[in-house]
Amino acid sequence: MSALLETKGLTAHYGDFQALFGVDIRLERGETVAIIGANGAGKTTLMRSLSGVLSNDPDMIHNDGAAVGALGADTIMKRGIAMVPEGRKLFPSLSVEENLIIGGQHKGGRDMGDRIDGLIARITGGDDPSALTGHHDGTGYWTLDTIYELFPILRERRNNPGTALSGGQQQMVAIGRALMSNPDVLLCDEISLGLAPVVIKDIYAALPKIKESGASVIVVEQDIGQALKVADRVYCMMEGRVTLTGRPEEISRDAIHEAYFGAAA
Amino acid sequence: MIWVDTLVQGILLGGLYALFAAGLSLVFGIMRLVNLAHGDLIVLGAYLILVVVSATGMNPIFAAAVAAPVMFAIGWTLQKVVLNRTLGEDILPPLLVTFGLSIVLQNALLEGFSADSQRIGFGALETASVPLGPVTVGVLPLMTFGTAVLTILVLNQIFYRTAIGRAFRATSDDATTASLMGIRPARVFATATGLAMVVVTIAALYLGTRANFDPSIGPARLIYAFEAVIIGGLGSLWGTLAGGIIIGVAQTLGAAINPEWQILAGHLAFLIVLLVRPRGLFPRGKD
Ligand SMILES: Nc1ncnc2c1ncn2[C@@H]1O[C@H](COP(=O)(O)OP(=O)(O)OP(=O)(O)O)[C@@H](O)[C@H]1O
Ligand SMILES: [Mg+2]
């Protein structure tokens, strides 16, 4: 059976600089996978590739058996893969509630723009860029109300500008915004970065509920302890390669240390 | 009493300038694109309305309603096929391309319609006037002003209260993150320019019915529009209305003192505001 999300020899470049060298990772339905690695290991680059922000060869990324590596971020999102980007990236011009709403506003299905593009493609004989969207309808457990149940503080702050919140609250908005499309896959890039331990605990407390809603999750974490606690499987990256993979209970601290910093360290 | 009259005429004239400027302001607010062909697109709209009126004999307002979807399609296509390719870190390419477009439009209109000046007939409306308190004002200027206020009201509602408005603001904030929301920035920009062209059509209706026009007058309208946008503060539509009114009042006051000072007074008002408030009266957000 094909994995929910899978990379096959994924490479990525920024100009002449190569950031990923043949990365193979797999996410099965219902799993939580953690990606760990030092600064600059390529974790964010991997997430940007998975979410379609960086474009790749079609065959380098598979979603439910379909080759999706070359699809754009908007199409990937409509296939049910949502991202909580590094640095939260809330929209400053939108209120907290608008930030949430916009996460679910363009979910799933072919909209009018897609149909126009499809029509143009048919006339010009090109490929319909949205042909691969449509199987994910974006409906499910998550609505404004259930997001506010998950993070009650956001209801109180719903009319504030998104950027007028504390770091932890902003992170909650970023997670809620991604959940609003009722994704099959939730990609989280360093959701604990820069937050106090109690706040991190609050945020990770949402994970069981998120999994219960049917989403499979990939979290990028610098905090190894946190990663080992929540993940079913862990991948460790170093300098653009996967250096270690396994279940948290199978891998030793020494092995992680070596995979994280290299053998010399 | 003459000063009150001058002031009122100036405010009403400001409505026309605000209409010239609203589309420019909208596009700039969303994609930081200064469209140097904006004035020529207004003139194109006026010719389009003129063609519809001469072909069908319909009222110019209905002709504008016919022209609006055509202009939307022109704007949408222009953005999607040409202008989206020019957007990026560098602000020079869109300026060069729209400058070129301005020249192309002027010459195409010259080819198609000759240099003769034209006017869209509005019948009795052209000269009708009504008493407004102590002064008498023309019905057409009053309609222009009312249309400007209504247009900006509707644009603000779209911008702040609708799904497409949210997409406009989000894409303007951060196009990459917007694409993670399922938004295709190129499409949002095309829709924004299409919408701006609908506003351009409304501006064209009044441009063409209030005075004569010919293929060469676009750039002068662009300057008034540009000044109104800058005075009001980039990205603020109500600011753009205020900017239009300031230029309109300055022009009529200048003209009342000496008819030769009309245009100069408008530009002077622009310079003074720019000196005192370099970011305009009501700048939106930071940046
Ligand atoms: N926009 C970019 N242009 C050029 N190089 C980049 C760019 N973004 C990242 N890189 C480089 O790619 C490599 C991987 O970066 P990436 O951001 O994926 O690392 P990371 O594992 O997410 O690190 P961190 O833990 O600091 O977030 C680094 O060497 C980085 O310098
Ligand atoms: Mg990173």
Side-chain angles (χ1 to χ4, degrees):
Chain A
M1 213 190 120
S2 50
L4 183 53
L5 197 59
E6 184 175 19
T7 66
K8 294 177 177 169
L10 178 67
T11 57
H13 301 259
Y14 295 106
D16 289 339
F17 179 79
Q18 184 163 4
L20 296 181
F21 299 82
V23 169
D24 298 308
I25 66 156
R26 231 177 127 85
L27 176 72
E28 303 291 347
R29 209 167 274 281
E31 256 191 327
T32 299
V33 161
I35 315 274
I36 59 175
N39 292 115
K43 307 180 296 295
T44 297
T45 306
L46 171 61
M47 300 300 257
R48 287 161 65 87
S49 300
L50 291 175
S51 62
V53 171
L54 295 177
S55 182
N56 304 89
D57 286 351
D59 276 322
M60 285 184 179
I61 304 174
H62 287 246
N63 166 221
D64 258 341
V68 299
L71 298 181
D74 59 306
T75 312
I76 292 288
M77 182 273 187
K78 287 178 180 168
R79 286 183 63 88
I81 301 170
M83 168 127 112
V84 184
E86 184 175 45
R88 295 150 203 154
K89 302 279 170 61
L90 301 189
F91 299 110
S93 305
L94 271 55
S95 70
V96 166
E97 185 152 300
E98 287 180 315
N99 265 286
L100 294 174
I101 292 172
I102 203 159
Q105 178 174 309
H106 300 268
K107 63 193 179 188
R110 279 161 64 94
D111 59 18
M112 185 150 90
D114 291 325
R115 279 194 282 271
I116 293 175
D117 278 0
L119 195 69
I120 291 172
R122 221 175 313 150
I123 293 166
T124 58
D127 286 337
D128 178 355
S130 65
L132 283 164
T133 62
H135 77 293
H136 178 82
D137 71 356
T139 57
Y141 175 73
W142 298 110
T143 61
L144 261 187
D145 274 332
T146 51
I147 300 286
Y148 286 147
E149 260 169 53
L150 187 68
F151 300 122
I153 183 72
L154 298 187
R155 190 193 294 273
E156 275 169 49
R157 298 294 168 84
R158 64 177 182 275
N159 292 323
N160 288 58
T163 42
L165 270 54
S166 74
Q169 292 164 354
Q170 287 192 31
Q171 193 58 263
M172 292 173 191
V173 178
I175 294 170
R177 183 178 65 177
L179 289 175
M180 283 292 282
S181 61
N182 284 292
D184 296 334
V185 179
L186 185 69
L187 307 171
C188 300
D189 196 349
E190 303 223 27
I191 49 178
S192 59
L193 191 71
L195 301 180
V198 280
V199 182
I200 296 176
K201 220 175 119 228
D202 279 356
I203 288 187
Y204 270 96
L207 201 57
K209 191 88 211 176
I210 292 171
K211 297 187 64 174
E212 206 181 295
S213 76
S216 310
V217 184
I218 299 182
V219 291
V220 164
E221 258 306 333
Q222 293 254 11
D223 180 340
I224 299 172
Q226 188 64 257
L228 295 178
K229 207 154 51 181
V230 301
D232 300 311
R233 277 184 312 112
V234 180
Y235 291 93
C236 185
M237 290 181 68
M238 188 176 61
E239 292 172 0
R241 294 178 171 84
V242 172
T243 46
L244 177 71
T245 160
R247 303 191 166 277
E249 63 276 9
E250 293 167 0
I251 49 185
S252 68
R253 286 202 88 68
D254 284 349
I256 290 181
H257 194 269
E258 192 182 318
Y260 208 95
F261 298 107
Chain B
M1 207 69 322
I2 172 103
W3 292 111
V4 177
D5 185 60
T6 307
L7 195 66
V8 171
Q9 307 301 343
I11 292 172
L12 294 184
L13 181 61
L16 181 65
Y17 294 160
L19 272 181
F20 289 163
L24 195 70
S25 181
L26 184 75
V27 165
F28 185 85
I30 294 172
M31 60 193 104
R32 297 287 177 269
L33 171 85
V34 177
N35 185 351
L36 293 181
H38 185 75
D40 307 292
L41 286 162
I42 300 177
V43 177
L44 173 70
Y47 276 106
L48 200 56
I49 296 172
L50 183 70
V51 167
V52 175
V53 168
S54 347
T56 65
M58 57 168 76
N59 181 301
I61 296 179
F62 295 121
V66 172
V70 177
M71 290 293 281
F72 180 96
I74 290 174
W76 196 91
T77 310
L78 177 68
Q79 185 68 42
K80 188 115 182 184
V81 177
V82 181
L83 299 180
N84 274 339
R85 293 170 205 271
T86 70
L87 295 177
E89 290 295 295
D90 193 352
I91 61 163
L92 201 56
L95 289 178
L96 290 175
V97 167
T98 55
F99 183 69
L101 179 66
S102 161
I103 293 169
V104 169
L105 275 175
Q106 284 177 47
N107 283 288
L109 289 173
L110 195 62
E111 229 13 78
F113 297 95
S114 86
D116 297 345
S117 68
Q118 307 275 359
R119 180 135 182 195
I120 302 166
F122 225 149
L125 264 183
E126 282 169 29
T127 49
S129 61
V130 288
L132 188 79
V135 297
T136 303
V137 297
V139 169
L140 205 45
L142 201 60
M143 266 175 65
T144 313
F145 189 82
T147 307
V149 172
L150 195 68
T151 301
I152 287 174
L153 204 68
V154 169
L155 286 179
N156 261 311
Q157 287 296 312
I158 292 175
F159 206 63
Y160 290 106
R161 299 262 177 280
T162 66
I164 184 70
R166 263 194 305 275
F168 284 162
R169 282 178 288 146
T171 310
S172 160
D173 280 347
D174 179 348
T176 303
T177 306
S179 70
L180 291 172
M181 305 296 120
I183 291 168
R184 193 165 296 183
R187 233 184 239 170
V188 167
F189 290 158
T191 308
T193 301
L195 183 61
M197 285 307 115
V198 172
V199 179
V200 157
T201 314
I202 299 170
L205 171 67
Y206 291 106
L207 173 91
T209 52
R210 289 180 55 151
N212 291 340
F213 61 94
D214 64 66
S216 69
I217 66 159
R221 311 310 113 172
L222 172 74
I223 297 213
Y224 297 149
F226 196 63
E227 290 181 345
V229 173
I230 303 278
I231 289 179
L234 294 170
S236 161
L237 286 164
W238 289 117
T240 298
L241 179 64
I245 290 174
I246 287 173
I247 294 175
V249 169
Q251 284 193 357
T252 50
L253 282 179
I257 297 165
N258 180 337
E260 287 179 4
W261 290 359
Q262 177 181 353
I263 307 295
L264 179 67
H267 295 324
L268 277 180
F270 166 68
L271 278 180
I272 291 167
V273 173
L274 208 58
L275 282 176
V276 183
R277 299 280 299 260
R279 302 184 55 228
L281 299 176
F282 311 100
R284 180 166 66 92
K286 23 118 218 112
D287 70 326

